[in-house]
Amino acid sequence: MSVRSTVRALPTLLRVGFAEAVAYRAELFVWILVTTMPLIMLALWLAVARDAPIGRLGAPELIAYFLAAFVVRQLTASWAAWQINTEVRDGTLAMRLLRPVHPLVAYATEQFAALPLRGALSIPMALIAIFVVGTAPWPRDPLIWVAWALSMLGGWLITLFANMAIGCLSLFLDSSIKLMDMWLTLFLVFSGYLIPVEMFPPAVRAASDWLPFRYQIGLPVELLTNAHPRGTAFELLGRQWLMVAILGSAVAIAWRRGVGRFAAYGG
């Protein structure tokens, strides 16, 4: 599995991944419908903020926040944990190990290839956000847009690496899906997906700064809705990429130890 063979295989893997996303577009559409919780939370928070803004969040800001959360969720999604669990249990991981491309690179490429289709399906929601709230909530500083683009990549990598790390645990356990369920529960509470992190009490908000969940969705949404000045934005971005490095290292360790066990007992 040389770097050269991996690079040469990437265009094919991307085409295959995109073709699979198009072929299973009905299933993908159902998954997108499952992730409409921000729209439900938007209705609830608008009712709460009817009489007075909640902090800096009035009705226009809440609409911008939760529609942005919906779009960011689509573009940072990963299902690698379920895919790895399935392939470990039915043995198809053995076929991946025979290919000239590292299985983790193949998983990442396949899932990255689905993002354009997910993005296209999110465009109507983005247009609605711009039509409803105008351009006032969006940042005007070009560097904030740069930070946002980096935070989107960082958010996707954190989600992917968390999925891969938990998926790799299936090489040691019968199934690690329950661990993924636990991760998703914490994600729903601390990521800003359902409740903006800035609404938490100061102690909880400070704790969430050092957990990975906020950096999956909360940070990209906060940057997109102009919640932070430039200095704070890049400080949070640095923490996000620290999380990327930690989770990436965890995946490398779990895979290296787990795949040897799979080759010995499960392959």
Side-chain angles (χ1 to χ4, degrees):
M1 299 178 190
S2 66
V3 175
R4 183 179 180 184
S5 64
T6 299
V7 171
R8 289 178 62 184
L10 283 179
T12 301
L13 289 173
L14 288 170
R15 283 196 298 273
V16 170
F18 184 75
E20 287 182 349
V22 173
Y24 296 103
R25 56 190 179 278
E27 183 184 50
L28 182 65
F29 184 69
V30 171
W31 274 105
I32 289 176
L33 290 180
V34 171
T35 58
T36 54
M37 278 302 292
L39 307 183
I40 298 171
M41 296 307 296
L42 171 60
L44 294 175
W45 284 111
L46 283 178
V48 174
R50 183 176 301 155
D51 296 327
I54 308 170
R56 71 174 185 94
L57 299 174
E61 290 79 14
L62 285 168
I63 293 171
Y65 183 94
F66 282 107
L67 293 184
F70 175 81
V71 173
V72 170
R73 177 76 174 97
Q74 306 313 317
L75 297 178
T76 56
S78 173
W79 52 95
W82 290 271
Q83 191 175 4
I84 295 173
N85 265 273
T86 300
E87 295 190 359
V88 169
R89 298 187 69 175
D90 65 16
T92 51
L93 179 62
M95 296 300 296
R96 283 191 183 268
L97 293 172
L98 295 175
R99 296 173 185 168
V101 178
H102 195 290
L104 294 182
V105 174
Y107 288 131
T109 308
E110 290 169 10
Q111 304 203 2
F112 184 81
L115 294 184
L117 185 59
R118 298 179 74 97
L121 293 173
S122 302
I123 287 176
M125 202 58 67
L127 294 177
I128 289 173
I130 294 172
F131 177 77
V132 173
V133 302
T135 58
W138 318 117
R140 301 183 184 281
D141 184 344
L143 285 180
I144 294 294
W145 282 105
V146 172
W148 174 75
L150 292 173
S151 74
M152 287 293 292
L153 177 60
W156 180 70
L157 286 174
I158 288 175
T159 306
L160 177 70
F161 287 161
N163 269 261
M164 284 182 169
I166 294 172
C168 287
L169 293 180
S170 66
L171 295 164
F172 303 92
L173 309 170
D174 287 341
S175 171
S176 59
I177 291 301
K178 291 297 181 186
L179 294 175
M180 194 65 219
D181 292 341
M182 291 173 60
W183 176 280
L184 287 175
T185 300
L186 294 171
F187 163 82
L188 290 175
V189 175
F190 292 106
S191 68
Y193 183 53
L194 303 180
I195 306 170
V197 173
E198 62 194 276
M199 292 184 182
F200 288 145
V204 178
R205 191 165 61 242
S208 72
D209 285 349
W210 296 102
L211 297 173
F213 311 105
R214 177 184 186 181
Y215 303 104
Q216 290 182 259
I217 284 186
L219 179 60
V221 172
E222 291 163 15
L223 294 178
L224 191 58
T225 55
N226 215 11
H228 302 296
R230 186 186 296 178
T232 305
F234 280 93
E235 180 183 342
L236 291 170
L237 191 64
R239 292 180 188 175
Q240 182 194 45
W241 280 88
L242 175 63
M243 299 292 173
V244 172
I246 291 172
L247 286 168
S249 300
V251 171
I253 294 170
W255 175 263
R256 189 164 53 248
R257 295 187 177 181
V259 78
R261 179 185 171 87
F262 178 80
Y265 300 106

